[in-house]
Amino acid sequence: MVEYNIDEIRGEFPILSRTIGGKPLVYLDNTATSQTPRSVVEAIDSGYLDFKANVHRGVHTLSQEATELQEECRRRVRDYIGASSVEEVIFTRGTTEAINLVASSFGSLFPKDGEIILTVMEHHANIVPWQLLQSRRPDLKIKVVDINDKGELLLEQYRSLFNNHTCMASFCHVSNVLGTINPVKEMIAYAHSKGVPVLVDGAQAIPHMHVDVKDLDCDFYAFSSHKMYGPTGIGVLYGKKEHLLRMPPYQGGGEMIAHVSFEGTTFAELPFKFEAGTPDFVGIGAFPKALDFIDEIGIEKIAGHEHELMEYAEAKMMEIPGMRIFGNAPDKSAVISFLVGDIHHYDMGMLLDKLGVEVRTGHHCAQPLMQRLGISGTVRASFAAYNTKEEVDAFIAALNRVIPILS
Ligand code: PMP
């Protein structure tokens, strides 16, 4: 195993050496988006400077090179997540678009009076697309799994929600607020035992753990590149081929057709049937560099490092009077959502920023979860491969400076 060389890792991220208001940057908003290593930025540069031509449309060399870069990425993603074929790897704008695609297209096949199971810890991206479907199909019902005090899903309740009408279950692999790692493999197996397909929102899981879609046996898996050191504006929907073949196109336009006439149009083969219009081929071409970055360190090593930082931070935070941490599941990813006394999360975030500490505040696009917890929002610190114990110390020191001011 390679050593965890934090200096070398940080050296790949020029942004980490900048200052905020004269203070060294302590970037702890990795759940919202991670920073991008130089290798990815250089690949984006090269995509524009050396390779730019539209994909799949040209016979000329540049277009073929750009196409090859994009399709190389598709093969890389297939291998990275353990998909069976490139036909199962659809490029999207991100997790949000991937889930919208499934809700809109797969959802159009749902039987009358179908029921969709979600959980109370979902990001809005895994709630609103299903509600939009429901607004077109008022016969559909949405059922919601609750959590316990530690922030774990109530699995018995989950199982009890299934009946003959259940047509879909959709839940996050890891909560972006609580950090809870859900037992998705077990949940998928249960859904399948009832003949119900499952979408897993992997946005917060895949940057921190090995994901094998075949091992999970999920029907769909959605994730975003920008949370895993990759370019913004691209993401992936993995879908089992048997579903994708049955699903109607999500959007119409170029790239996704076989033949167009005013008498009728036929659609392209998978995966292109779901990729209407010009994709962010420059971003897609650069994405493999982000996967290389993760692989070169090793995802288990990254997760171990992040976990150590989280435990170190949580232990220090719990020494602070009035500290409440939301999400205490034993199986937890490197996210700490918290409040101190009755200090408003927004005020806390503003003052921490003055000390160079960048954390997220608010509802984190999980308003139903906030409602469940009886709060309007939290402060959230989250960790990535490049964070350090010294940064945790700076964060704790900053907390200890701002709390007396705000109390
Ligand atoms: N699901 C979860 C669990 C998330 O954390 C996020 C991003 N915060 C999303 C979905 C949406 O991701 P994106 O904005 O990249 O589409």
Side-chain angles (χ1 to χ4, degrees), residues 99 103 110 118 126-134 142 168 170:
I99 300 175
F110 288 168
L118 306 178
N126 195 25
I127 299 174
V128 185
W130 303 108
Q131 291 176 326
L132 290 176
L133 172 67
Q134 203 185 24
I142 292 174
M168 188 78 200
S170 189

Side-chain angles (χ1 to χ4, degrees), residues 112-133:
K112 186 161 170 14
D113 298 325
E115 295 184 1
I116 302 156
I117 297 178
L118 306 178
T119 87
V120 76
M121 66 167 74
E122 297 313 311
H123 187 280
H124 296 162
N126 195 25
I127 299 174
V128 185
W130 303 108
Q131 291 176 326
L132 290 176
L133 172 67

Side-chain angles (χ1 to χ4, degrees), residues 31-32 94-97 123 125 172 174 176 201 203-204 224 226-227:
T31 297
T95 307
T96 303
E97 188 178 47
H123 187 280
C172 58
V174 171
N176 68 317
D201 170 354
Q204 297 300 343
S224 301
H226 70 95
K227 293 182 195 286

Side-chain angles (χ1 to χ4, degrees), residues 148-165:
N148 64 19
D149 289 345
K150 287 188 193 151
E152 296 166 300
L153 289 175
L154 300 179
L155 294 178
E156 214 154 287
Q157 187 197 33
Y158 167 71
R159 289 188 284 268
S160 75
L161 293 181
F162 284 81
N163 63 33
N164 289 340
H165 291 287

